[in-house]
Amino acid sequence: MHEFILGSDGMRSMMKVVHQVARYDVNVLIIGESGTGKEALAKIIHLNSPRAKNAFVPVNCGILSGLMFEDKLFGHEKGSFTGAIRREKGCFEMADKGTLFLDEVSEIPLENQVDFLRVLEDFRFVRIGGSEVIKVDTRIISATNKDLRKLVDQGAFRQDLFFRLHIVPIYIPPLRERKNAIPRMVEHFLNQLSITYRKPPPRVTPEVIDMFCRYDWPGNVRELKNLLERVFILNDEDAITVEHLPSDFLWHFEEPSALDLAEVRKRAETEAILHVMDRVQGDRKRVAQILNISPRTLRYKLNQYGIKVDRK
Ligand SMILES: Nc1ncnc2c1ncn2[C@@H]1O[C@H](COP(=O)(O)OP(=O)(O)OP(=O)(O)O)[C@@H](O)[C@H]1O
Ligand SMILES: [Mg+2]
């Protein structure tokens, strides 16, 4: 069910690295555009590690700052702030003996980065409002769709934290750079959907596959998966043909309608001439002056474009 489709040599060698790092508690940073499968890969690392039977805890670093961030990661003691009605564990504790997945790690607020790095060094911390030192045994996998090195150069991300997280980087290329995986992915996702929705998987015509391979998928694998789900749900026929694809997808393939430059110029010039004519009550000499053309050129254009004006 949770097969990870490779479909290119690059992806196959990436998977070798994945299986290699899975065995050790080394920090891994997964880099890739949105929807390329970073979280799916992090789970594969976890499930192939000696920690597989324990928790995989994902945390989105992009939505929290300051105290909220600390609370989410380290937890709090009862009464440590308004609303803290009981002791609450943070993600580090929940991921004890398991794996903590730091999603969108580039977004950890600068103010939190020092403390965070310190915890990554020795896995000891105290809950907010607490005094007991907690020690956890956690494996760290992080993910980013930003260029972390560039953020370091810009001063938006601490270099020491970057080095700590970046021990083994794994890059997942965007789907447009591994399009030969698309046919297998289509088949895989339709089989998955067929199980989820208890409905036989449809065939897909070669024209549809061909369109899928021509499209660039800015939302990567997630975009492909979502499109298939939509088409799968909305049609009960036994084949998916081009007619079944939603119009907002087909739109990417439409030829732009003919745009004749001479026609564009004629329309724009006619409009400008009529506008100025109107402003100066048809005084042709002034119109030519304002438009920065000779009276002769103006006469020519009036004839050419068939503009009728009352002579004044
Ligand atoms: N190679 C693949 N084979 C099968 N399924 C995949 C593959 N890559 C991604 N998926 C599926 O596509 C969806 C999106 O993947 P995932 O959530 O891991 O992407 P992400 O890189 O974490 O995205 P984001 O940056 O937006 O969080 C998931 O449902 C995942 O299971
Ligand atoms: Mg993700």
Side-chain angles (χ1 to χ4, degrees), residues 38-39 101 103 222:
K38 297 186 292 297
E39 181 154 353
F101 175 57
D103 205 0
R222 179 178 299 112

Side-chain angles (χ1 to χ4, degrees), residues 2-6 11 32-41 101 103-104 145 172 178 185 188-189 221-222 225:
H2 293 295
E3 194 190 346
F4 195 82
I5 310 291
L6 300 173
M11 289 293 278
E33 287 181 11
S34 172
T36 44
K38 297 186 292 297
E39 181 154 353
L41 205 65
F101 175 57
D103 205 0
E104 295 187 38
N145 54 23
I172 313 184
R178 46 186 167 111
M185 279 187 181
H188 168 70
F189 288 135
V221 184
R222 179 178 299 112
K225 192 175 171 181

Side-chain angles (χ1 to χ4, degrees), residues 67-258:
L67 199 62
M68 298 271 283
F69 179 82
E70 281 185 31
D71 185 28
K72 181 87 182 162
L73 285 147
F74 310 128
H76 60 252
E77 296 292 344
K78 181 177 172 181
S80 54
F81 51 82
T82 322
I85 48 172
R86 60 172 165 263
R87 168 189 286 173
E88 207 95 47
K89 283 185 181 177
C91 290
F92 264 108
E93 267 181 276
M94 291 195 273
D96 191 21
K97 310 269 186 306
T99 303
L100 181 61
F101 175 57
L102 303 169
D103 205 0
E104 295 187 38
V105 75
S106 62
E107 307 304 304
I108 297 181
L110 258 180
E111 54 174 323
N112 295 106
Q113 290 182 14
V114 192
D115 276 351
F116 188 65
L117 175 65
R118 206 181 31 73
V119 178
L120 290 188
E121 302 279 340
D122 63 1
F123 292 95
R124 284 171 207 275
F125 57 91
V126 289
R127 302 188 191 104
I128 297 175
S131 51
E132 179 197 356
V133 176
I134 318 254
K135 168 100 178 100
V136 291
D137 166 22
T138 303
R139 197 252 172 96
I140 304 290
I141 302 178
S142 31
T144 181
N145 54 23
K146 300 235 173 87
D147 185 346
L148 265 193
R149 210 181 284 269
K150 203 154 140 203
L151 292 180
V152 169
D153 289 343
Q154 292 166 351
F157 200 85
R158 288 182 65 100
Q159 189 174 42
D160 43 13
L161 181 54
F162 169 73
F163 284 133
R164 186 83 210 156
L165 299 172
H166 186 268
I167 309 234
V168 180
I170 294 180
Y171 173 68
I172 313 184
L175 186 55
R176 64 181 170 280
E177 288 173 17
R178 46 186 167 111
K179 287 183 172 176
N180 44 2
I182 289 177
R184 283 216 41 219
M185 279 187 181
V186 170
E187 192 191 327
H188 168 70
F189 288 135
L190 288 175
N191 286 334
Q192 258 190 0
L193 288 163
S194 154
I195 295 167
T196 310
Y197 294 108
R198 294 160 207 254
K199 183 169 121 172
R203 275 187 308 115
V204 182
T205 63
E207 294 77 44
V208 170
I209 295 289
D210 179 60
M211 278 181 129
F212 284 177
C213 291
R214 275 189 288 143
Y215 180 58
D216 270 347
W217 303 103
N220 293 293
V221 184
R222 179 178 299 112
E223 186 182 0
L224 173 64
K225 192 175 171 181
N226 290 348
L227 178 77
L228 287 169
E229 179 158 8
R230 193 162 141 198
V231 176
F232 182 88
I233 290 297
L234 295 178
N235 299 288
D236 285 331
E237 284 160 58
D238 59 2
I240 295 177
T241 66
V242 174
E243 291 75 60
H244 295 128
L245 300 178
S247 53
D248 55 351
F249 177 77
L250 292 173
W251 180 83
H252 297 288
F253 296 87
E254 271 167 29
E255 293 288 326
S257 58

